[in-house]
């Protein structure tokens, strides 16, 4: 087998187990990363993990059911997928209450017709 010097590594085949993602590269190397590196795949069902396709002529793998992409470069460089930060949800009632309190403390504005409004 011959490969061009400096050629980008390309995935030829993929195997996903319950613990890892294994990529067989076109140049003969086999690399693997822990499944835990992808929180989306870790939380996916076995059927969702099995539904993948190679993208970019072998530059990466895409799992459409969980909207996950992993590149061969990411696997080689050890780049786990970051889990998004979850921001607390503000309760609408609390926001309305604070607006009402603010409005109650506002001075009344007088209009030309003599009616007051806040």
């Amino acid at each position: 087998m011959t490969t061009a010097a400096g050629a980008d590594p390309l995935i030829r085949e993929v195997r996903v187990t319950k613990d890892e993602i294994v990529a067989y590269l076109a140049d003969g190397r086999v690399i693997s990363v822990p499944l835990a590196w992808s929180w989306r795949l870790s939380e996916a069902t076995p059927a969702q993990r099995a539904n993948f396709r190679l993208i970019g002529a072998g530059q990466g793998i895409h799992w459409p059911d969980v909207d996950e992409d992993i590149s061969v470069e990411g696997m080689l460089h050890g780049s786990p997928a970051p889990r998004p930060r979850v921001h607390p949800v503000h309760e609408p009632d609390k926001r309305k209450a604070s607006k009402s309190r603010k409005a109650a403390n506002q001075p009344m504005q007088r209009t030309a017709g003599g009616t007051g409004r806040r």
Side-chain angles (χ1 to χ4, degrees), residues 23 45-46 54 104-105 113-114:
T45 66
L54 295 180
N105 293 329

Side-chain angles (χ1 to χ4, degrees), residues 3-80:
T3 58
D8 290 333
L10 297 175
I11 300 171
R12 172 176 53 82
E13 187 180 333
V14 177
R15 187 169 49 94
V16 182
T17 71
K18 67 181 183 104
D19 299 316
E20 63 186 354
I21 303 163
V22 183
Y24 299 86
L25 304 186
D27 64 7
R29 289 180 287 171
V30 179
I31 57 174
S32 66
V33 296
L35 191 63
W37 277 18
S38 167
W39 62 271
R40 287 182 180 98
L41 291 173
S42 294
E43 295 174 359
T45 66
Q48 290 172 321
R49 289 184 203 138
N51 182 24
F52 61 84
R53 63 184 170 89
L54 295 180
I55 56 175
Q59 293 174 332
I61 314 159
H62 175 69
W63 285 265
D65 295 340
V66 293
D67 193 27
E68 179 70 307
D69 296 309
I70 295 179
S71 70
V72 66
E73 291 294 331
M75 293 177 77
L76 287 168
H77 291 117
S79 305

